[in-house]
Amino acid sequence: MFLKVYKTIIIILALPLSAGAQTVFRSLEDVWKYADVHNITIRTAKYELDKSKYATKQSYSALLPQVNGTASFTDNIQLPVTILPAGIIPGNKGGPVAFGEQFAYAAGISAQMNILNLQNWYNAKMAKQTEDMNKDSLAGTRKSVYQQLATQYYGYLLMQEAARLADETVSIADSVYQSTDNKFKEGTLNEANVDISKLNLERAQQTQISAQYQMLTARNNLKALLGFSLRDSLVIQATLQADMNTEAIGVFTEDPTLRLASWRVKINQTQYKITNSAFLPSINVLYNYAGQRYDKTFEPFDGATGVAGWYPGQYWSLQASIPLFSSGSRLYQSKRSKLNYIESMEQYDNAHLQSEINDENIKLSYQKAVAVLSKAKDVMNLSFDNYQHISYRYEGGIESIESRLNAFKDYIDYQNQYLNSLSDMLVQLYQVKIREQSF
């Protein structure tokens, strides 16, 4: 009776969650593929990569010539007056004279290009390295999200298996309890035997309740990671069979974390070159062309009454900037950059060694978990067989009720050990799956 009521409660709790759109996943790879498009953390990392691409283009554009056009119009509302002495201008008696025209027009174009500026070149190079590093940063983000998804996905399947075993156990424990209680009422068993059978039933029901609610929680966590709403329906059409086949270990790909460490070395090396280039001269070439025109009246396009022609002017120049002294700040900055470069190289070497050890430990942990799970499953099955044998002997009057109850208690204990071993194996399994992925 309890089992029927309990399952009804679980169904009622799940009903509101199936009111929205339904998405079905049949494997962990399906979940990962969906997350590549919909997970907000991965999407944000993709935006950062796109922004770094624009930053690279911006840095390279600084190497191109800078061309500017200028144009201006001036209305001299009142021309300034200059006092001239007599005789400076022929025919002029001296005194106040106003020079210029009321309206003035000017237009020009200038171009400038850095012929020698190593800082700009190194900045462009570092921007490209940063873009490439962000690609591996995206790969690292995907790896992290994949781990979170695998934890919830296999957590759901683990609790599904736990619920399946708990359903069977509750059914057996309830039958034992009813039998024990009936015989107690008949006076053939004492109350202590009833209490033990009831205790075994309560333990089995506890596992059943915990497994069902943890399944719902794991599914909600998957929804959060995949960008679902609470009312969207997420269905996992996969099960962990009692005799599930474990997978052979494939080829591990290069860890994104290791690639990130390599890019940090390259970027710090470029940064060191940038600081050293501050000691070198820079050379710029500049060209300028400009023209001016003056009119007495505001008729710039037709019927000019002033000097209609334009007065052009142009020049080009070569500019060199040589750093001589800056109170030692550039020197100390260079020394700091060199230390950052050396530090990143040592961290990369250590990360490379650690990655090899970590990969080997993942393989060993997986192989151990598979072997332990196999033994735990055998022990659980043997324990159940032992319980059945003792039950038959009890029915035949050969074994005591205490032996039967203790055998059932042992079966529950070994069942929990099996689930713990299964949990550990699943953790190691998705670690192997992730290392086999190409990010």
Side-chain angles (χ1 to χ4, degrees):
M1 181 64 182
F2 170 82
L3 185 57
K4 293 181 178 179
V5 173
Y6 173 70
K7 287 186 174 180
T8 301
I9 294 174
I10 291 298
I11 292 173
I12 293 174
L13 288 174
L15 280 177
L17 305 180
S18 60
Q22 185 180 84
T23 305
V24 179
F25 297 104
R26 294 178 173 83
S27 67
L28 178 59
E29 286 73 16
D30 286 347
V31 175
W32 285 343
K33 184 177 180 180
Y34 188 91
D36 282 335
V37 179
H38 298 89
N39 177 265
I40 186 61
T41 304
I42 294 178
R43 290 170 63 88
T44 301
K46 288 180 179 178
Y47 288 135
E48 292 301 318
L49 175 58
D50 290 339
K51 287 189 283 186
S52 69
K53 291 179 180 178
Y54 287 117
T56 300
K57 293 179 180 180
Q58 180 183 3
S59 296
Y60 276 103
S61 65
L63 303 176
L64 301 175
Q66 304 297 313
V67 181
N68 296 306
T70 60
S72 67
F73 161 73
T74 303
D75 182 357
N76 296 306
I77 299 174
Q78 183 174 359
L79 294 174
V81 175
T82 302
I83 305 298
L84 296 179
I88 289 185
I89 300 177
N92 186 282
K93 299 179 180 180
V97 178
F99 289 96
E101 304 290 351
Q102 182 178 356
F103 301 102
Y105 307 90
I109 186 171
S110 63
Q112 181 176 355
M113 181 176 180
N114 293 320
I115 297 178
L116 177 63
N117 192 325
L118 293 180
Q119 283 189 330
N120 286 347
W121 283 100
Y122 287 135
N123 283 333
K125 181 179 180 181
M126 190 168 70
K128 183 63 172 67
Q129 290 173 336
T130 302
E131 176 188 341
D132 293 335
M133 186 180 72
N134 282 341
K135 294 178 182 177
D136 288 326
S137 178
L138 171 59
T141 299
R142 290 178 62 208
K143 177 185 175 183
S144 176
V145 172
Y146 278 21
Q147 288 176 327
Q148 298 174 47
L149 290 166
T151 299
Q152 301 303 325
Y153 176 84
Y154 279 129
Y156 179 89
L157 294 184
L158 175 66
M159 290 301 103
Q160 190 178 66
E161 176 70 1
R164 183 187 69 81
L165 291 173
D167 289 346
E168 296 176 357
T169 305
V170 166
S171 179
I172 298 171
D174 186 59
S175 176
V176 172
Y177 169 68
Q178 296 298 334
S179 174
T180 306
D181 187 55
N182 290 336
K183 291 188 177 183
F184 167 71
K185 293 176 180 177
E186 294 172 358
T188 58
L189 293 178
N190 59 45
E191 190 173 1
N193 299 136
V194 179
D195 291 340
I196 294 175
S197 64
K198 183 64 180 298
L199 177 63
N200 289 337
L201 175 60
E202 293 288 346
R203 288 182 63 192
Q205 291 172 343
Q206 182 182 15
T207 301
Q208 186 185 50
I209 294 172
S210 177
Q212 292 289 351
Y213 277 97
Q214 287 186 60
M215 282 176 61
L216 295 176
T217 301
R219 187 172 63 180
N220 283 340
N221 290 338
L222 276 175
K223 288 183 178 182
L225 290 169
L226 296 175
F228 283 65
S229 71
L230 182 62
R231 299 185 64 81
D232 289 334
S233 177
L234 185 155
V235 179
I236 299 177
Q237 289 186 354
T239 58
L240 291 175
Q241 303 298 331
D243 58 344
M244 65 174 294
N245 295 321
T246 53
E247 299 181 3
I249 298 177
V251 178
F252 283 6
T253 60
E254 187 177 16
D255 194 331
T257 304
L258 190 61
R259 299 203 301 266
L260 282 173
S262 174
W263 281 117
R264 291 190 187 98
V265 174
K266 296 176 182 178
I267 289 176
N268 283 329
Q269 182 184 35
T270 304
Q271 183 63 52
Y272 177 48
K273 293 179 180 179
I274 291 175
T275 55
N276 284 340
S277 65
F279 297 99
L280 301 176
S282 61
I283 300 176
N284 299 330
V285 62
L286 174 66
Y287 171 78
N288 182 272
Y289 178 90
Q292 294 179 326
R293 175 188 168 191
Y294 305 94
D295 273 324
K296 295 180 179 298
T297 59
F298 184 59
E299 298 178 10
F301 304 109
D302 184 40
T305 58
V307 182
W310 285 85
Y311 294 93
Q314 59 179 321
Y315 68 88
W316 77 275
S317 65
L318 195 63
Q319 301 173 343
S321 176
I322 304 174
L324 297 176
F325 179 72
S326 62
S327 69
S329 61
R330 286 175 295 192
L331 175 63
Y332 297 133
Q333 185 179 6
S334 175
K335 291 182 179 295
R336 288 173 52 197
S337 298
K338 183 178 181 180
L339 288 176
N340 288 334
Y341 171 50
I342 295 174
E343 179 185 11
S344 62
M345 283 195 300
E346 293 180 355
Q347 289 177 343
Y348 171 73
D349 292 338
N350 182 72
H352 192 275
L353 296 174
Q354 190 64 44
S355 179
E356 293 178 346
I357 294 175
N358 290 342
D359 286 348
E360 182 64 21
N361 285 341
I362 288 175
K363 295 176 182 178
L364 293 174
S365 296
Y366 174 70
Q367 292 167 350
K368 182 203 75 170
V370 170
V372 171
L373 175 62
S374 177
K375 293 300 180 183
K377 178 183 174 183
D378 291 342
V379 169
M380 180 185 69
N381 291 336
L382 287 172
S383 175
F384 183 71
D385 290 342
N386 181 61
Y387 162 74
Q388 287 185 316
H389 292 321
I390 292 178
S391 294
Y392 294 147
R393 293 168 63 85
Y394 167 75
E395 297 295 338
I398 301 175
E399 290 287 351
S400 65
I401 185 61
E402 288 82 2
S403 298
R404 184 188 185 189
L405 294 174
N406 288 334
F408 187 74
K409 175 182 176 299
D410 291 341
Y411 169 65
I412 294 177
D413 291 338
Y414 289 127
Q415 189 181 96
N416 290 332
Q417 289 182 16
Y418 163 75
L419 290 174
N420 289 334
S421 298
L422 178 59
S423 174
D424 182 54
M425 194 283 295
L426 293 175
V427 171
Q428 304 308 323
L429 175 61
Y430 77 67
Q431 294 290 356
V432 169
K433 281 180 173 287
I434 288 175
R435 289 297 294 114
E436 293 172 349
Q437 294 291 312
S438 296
F439 292 102

